[in-house]
Amino acid sequence: GAGVSQSPSNKVTEKGKDVELRCDPISGHTALYWYRQRLGQGLEFLIYFQGNSAPDKSGLPSDRFSAERTGESVSTLTIQRTQQEDSAVYLCASSRLTGSYEQYFGPGTRLTVT
Amino acid sequence: AQSVTQLDSQVPVFEEAPVELRCNYSSSVSVYLFWYVQYPNQGLQLLLKYLSGSTLVKGINGFEAEFNKSQTSFHLRKPSVHISDTAEYFCAVSDRSNTGKLIFGQGTTLQVKP
């Protein structure tokens, strides 16, 4: 079946603007994760959704970052008042059940803040 | 909290030579361990994982890794590399809670030369 999809693939925005990134998980996957990959660095965990449970937001770097997920479907990551340090690749992953621990990653959205 | 250290940022190797990519982790609790690979212009893909049982785990494309609890290491090995193995390799850990969120190392670039 289809994998995790993300849109847009690339986004260039001016400093101070808001951006919204979208993730479509694999159908039937209850868990969804957002990560950030800055140039030359590893991935940083941002936020985790599991079903109807309260999300784990412990990785969000500031209150400019927020994310939503409706049920077990699409998720959006919103960055308000973007800063240059927000430039990165934002990756989404989904997992069938948390116990399986295998996460399937999307291709990412490359965000450039000018 | 967990942390992961990948000891080499770049590993150049000739085709058909053996390779070892090193990974050490720190955690106050038991963890699950993973290696992911990111081929150029592609998303992350799971290579192998250690959840329990045998400390030597085999993954795709001829890779294997050994979990060493006393040394808190999970080094990745391949006895003979191919040009197509050129990629970024990430070691990651997850605590044994139900979230499954991953903590990644900084990544190691494997450059296979002809």
Side-chain angles (χ1 to χ4, degrees), chain A residues 14-70:
Chain A
E14 293 180 353
K15 177 181 174 181
K17 301 282 189 182
D18 297 353
V19 296
E20 191 172 277
L21 313 180
R22 176 187 170 106
C23 171
D24 283 88
I26 294 172
S27 178
H29 281 195
T30 58
L32 186 147
Y33 309 80
W34 283 97
Y35 296 89
R36 176 171 72 175
Q37 185 177 20
R38 288 172 161 163
L39 186 64
Q41 299 187 23
L43 283 75
E44 305 169 69
F45 166 78
L46 296 178
I47 188 168
Y48 156 74
F49 296 91
Q50 166 61 13
N52 294 319
S53 301
D56 177 349
K57 303 179 182 181
S58 60
L60 294 179
S62 77
D63 58 8
R64 296 187 295 105
F65 288 71
S66 63
E68 293 184 350
R69 187 185 187 194
T70 305

Side-chain angles (χ1 to χ4, degrees), chain B residues 2-86:
Chain B
Q2 294 82 43
S3 66
V4 178
T5 302
Q6 291 184 241
L7 298 163
D8 307 293
S9 58
Q10 293 189 2
V11 174
V13 64
F14 287 106
E15 194 172 20
E16 298 183 8
V19 71
E20 177 180 83
L21 307 184
R22 297 180 292 168
C23 172
N24 286 89
Y25 69 92
S26 173
S27 177
S28 58
V29 299
S30 296
V31 296
Y32 298 131
L33 296 151
F34 305 82
W35 277 97
Y36 279 84
V37 59
Q38 188 173 33
Y39 296 106
N41 301 315
Q42 295 187 30
L44 267 78
Q45 178 181 355
L46 181 67
L47 261 183
L48 48 79
K49 61 186 176 186
Y50 172 79
L51 303 184
S52 65
S54 173
T55 57
L56 181 64
V57 292
K58 294 187 182 299
I60 62 172
N61 300 337
F63 283 92
E64 63 181 32
E66 186 157 19
F67 168 54
N68 187 318
K69 187 175 181 180
S70 63
Q71 297 187 3
T72 61
S73 68
F74 191 55
H75 300 333
L76 181 71
R77 302 185 183 101
K78 186 170 183 178
S80 176
V81 294
H82 303 291
I83 296 287
S84 60
D85 293 322
T86 295

Side-chain angles (χ1 to χ4, degrees), chain B residues 91-102:
Chain B
C91 181
V93 303
S94 172
D95 67 25
R96 296 189 176 214
S97 68
N98 288 329
T99 68
K101 69 184 182 187
L102 296 169

Side-chain angles (χ1 to χ4, degrees), chain A residues 70-89:
Chain A
T70 305
E72 296 180 358
S73 62
V74 170
S75 175
T76 56
L77 176 69
T78 301
I79 308 173
Q80 295 178 309
R81 306 181 301 283
T82 52
Q83 303 295 313
Q84 288 187 332
E85 62 262 28
D86 298 335
S87 295
V89 177

